[in-house]
Amino acid sequence: MTPDERRSLLRRAFDAGVAAAHPAVCLPAHLPAPPKGRVIVLAAGKGGGACAEIAETFYRETHGLGPDRLTGLAVTRHGHARPTQWIKVVEAGHPVPDAAGLQGAADTIALAEQAGPDDLVLALITGGGSANWVAPVDGLDLAVKQATTKALLRSGAPIDAINAVRKHLSKIKGGRLARAAHPAPVFALAISDVPRDDPSVIASGPTVPDPTTLQDARDALTRFNVEPHPDVAAALSNPANESPKADDPVFANTSFLVVSRPADALAAAIRTLEEAGVEVRVVGADIEGEAREVAAEHAAIARGLGGLTRPVALISGGELTVTIKGRNGRGGPNQEYALSLVNELGGVANWAALAGDTDGADGGGGSPEDPAGAVVDPATLERARAKGLDPAYFLAENDSTGFFEATGDGLYTGPTCTNVNDLRIVLVDIPD
């Protein structure tokens, strides 16, 4: 393959993975029949707007429901709204929550509390819901919660540790949305963006029992060197902020189903690669860890491939992290992974790699124009050297976005309206 053909194939495989996880593909078959009363749709996350649009179309066109029996609210990331008639869609901050998310969460809780025994609360949960549904516990204001979120994101903490803290500082996460709706039935359909598809971690588990405790939240802050604000420390020491557990009666009439998961996106990408004659080796579907360290491991595997008779792709999923030590760097774990590959594979020929977040945004400031990741190959390093850029310097500054803006290797997709975690492919071609 030529370099352009390698890049094109990687992009087709990534796009296939994203398409397989879109709500339009994975959601309709699982939407339940309407109850005697109302369907109250409560959606959140980067796919929340798309889920609301699809659910509304389903209940209007398939079941003939009108606005008297179909209502709801979706809170999604800025730039991810979709057109609806009766289910309101609100755009809010991500990854750092904002005032729109605060109001959206309050309105979501109010709708849940209005549900009666003949109604159905249909929770449509996608990755990003933790930031979009922000409802601080008593004594905690939004600014303090924003600062805590930023500190956790910079610390390199994995998503389960971050969400343990979030759940104990919230009136909606960690099973509390189910508590608000009780005793009305709650049916949650989720698009998973977390390793191992744990329902209590997806969007911080608003409708399921929470296995973590206040102590776990305190331990997470300690483990990742996040000094809590006094109001956070007080909240995490208040027994009233403990989340509901599996034996709580609020879960007696709830159910939960994952309708799409990272493995589905991985499978679609694998099919695309195999159809192109590539041998695919799955490195891991649920990889976690520091982005640059995982990239170094994958680069070592790529360098060790020899005697190839056809191209080989190393494919992986999961959610990597970045411990930010640079001063003003920009970029997320996928870009840092790709930048580390460039640094590790200098001098190696006939390779290309793509690392992208399936939601269309990797780090960044919450703009729909943020990069999803990067596509790199030996020419990336050539362009960098021609501009006098040192990949190691940009790694030290955690400024992968700045590097790829200069080399032109950023991956830009715009909002995909879904989120099933990261997708990474390292393609090693046969020698010329």
Side-chain angles (χ1 to χ4, degrees), residues 339-367:
L339 179 54
S340 183
L341 282 181
V342 172
N343 198 45
E344 295 282 344
L345 293 176
V348 179
N350 301 317
W351 68 275
L354 180 151
D357 195 319
T358 56
D359 64 14
D362 179 55
S367 166

Side-chain angles (χ1 to χ4, degrees), residues 38-42 66-67 69-73 86-88 111:
R38 298 173 298 166
V39 177
I40 302 173
V41 175
L42 304 177
R69 293 188 58 204
L70 178 62
T71 187
L73 173 65
W86 303 327
I87 300 172
K88 183 179 179 180
L111 280 168

Side-chain angles (χ1 to χ4, degrees), residues 177-199:
L177 182 60
R179 175 181 285 170
H182 183 73
V186 176
F187 185 27
L189 298 174
I191 295 176
S192 170
D193 70 324
V194 301
R196 297 170 295 281
D197 309 316
D198 185 344

Side-chain angles (χ1 to χ4, degrees), residues 143 236 275 325 386:
L236 295 181
E275 288 168 0
K325 298 179 181 178

Side-chain angles (χ1 to χ4, degrees), residues 102-127:
L102 187 70
Q103 186 61 56
D107 293 342
T108 296
I109 293 170
L111 280 168
E113 291 175 338
Q114 295 168 14
D118 290 336
D119 298 329
L120 172 66
V121 175
L122 180 62
L124 304 177
I125 300 168
T126 67

Side-chain angles (χ1 to χ4, degrees), residues 28-346:
H30 302 287
L31 290 169
K36 291 193 299 182
R38 298 173 298 166
V39 177
I40 302 173
V41 175
L42 304 177
K46 298 164 192 173
C51 286
E53 177 188 28
I54 291 157
E56 183 179 273
T57 299
F58 174 79
Y59 287 112
R60 281 175 44 226
E61 296 183 357
T62 303
H63 292 282
L65 268 59
D68 58 326
R69 293 188 58 204
L70 178 62
T71 187
L73 173 65
V75 185
T76 191
R77 181 176 175 159
H78 289 294
H80 289 62
R82 297 294 303 160
T84 55
Q85 293 185 37
W86 303 327
I87 300 172
K88 183 179 179 180
V89 178
V90 172
E91 293 185 334
H94 182 281
V96 179
D98 62 10
L102 187 70
Q103 186 61 56
D107 293 342
T108 296
I109 293 170
L111 280 168
E113 291 175 338
Q114 295 168 14
D118 290 336
D119 298 329
L120 172 66
V121 175
L122 180 62
L124 304 177
I125 300 168
T126 67
S130 289
N132 291 154
W133 271 345
V134 53
V137 295
D138 294 337
L140 194 66
D141 65 23
L142 178 60
V144 171
K145 195 159 188 182
Q146 288 172 323
T148 302
T149 299
K150 289 178 182 178
L152 284 164
L153 291 170
R154 291 179 64 89
S155 74
I159 191 63
D160 56 347
I162 293 174
N163 284 358
V165 177
R166 283 169 158 169
K167 286 186 281 191
H168 290 91
L169 299 177
S170 175
K171 291 182 177 179
I172 192 169
K173 302 177 179 70
R176 292 178 181 84
L177 182 60
R179 175 181 285 170
H182 183 73
V186 176
F187 185 27
L189 298 174
I191 295 176
S192 170
D193 70 324
V194 301
R196 297 170 295 281
D197 309 316
D198 185 344
S200 71
V201 180
I202 304 169
S204 296
T207 70
V208 298
D210 178 26
T212 70
T213 65
L214 284 163
Q215 185 62 53
D216 292 328
R218 295 192 294 267
D219 290 346
L221 294 177
T222 300
R223 187 163 71 252
F224 294 98
N225 301 309
V226 175
E227 182 66 31
H229 185 281
D231 292 345
V232 170
L236 295 181
S237 298
N238 185 350
N241 292 329
E242 188 55 272
S243 49
K245 308 306 177 190
D247 59 353
D248 196 304
V250 302
F251 300 114
N253 203 14
T254 65
S255 54
F256 185 97
L257 178 66
V258 175
V259 300
S260 187
R261 60 198 76 226
D264 299 327
L266 218 63
I270 289 170
R271 285 194 295 271
T272 301
L273 293 165
E274 290 180 336
E275 288 168 0
V278 175
E279 177 187 341
V280 179
R281 302 182 187 181
V282 179
V283 183
D286 296 310
I287 294 177
E288 296 177 278
E290 195 73 18
R292 66 181 66 193
E293 296 173 3
V294 174
E297 294 170 3
H298 293 180
I301 297 172
R303 286 195 302 269
L305 295 173
L308 299 182
T309 57
R310 62 172 174 152
V312 172
L314 309 175
I315 191 167
S316 62
E319 187 167 38
L320 305 183
T321 53
V322 174
T323 302
I324 299 177
K325 298 179 181 178
R327 292 162 295 179
N328 298 301
R330 296 171 296 145
N334 288 287
Q335 293 168 88
E336 182 141 325
Y337 171 95
L339 179 54
S340 183
L341 282 181
V342 172
N343 198 45
E344 295 282 344
L345 293 176

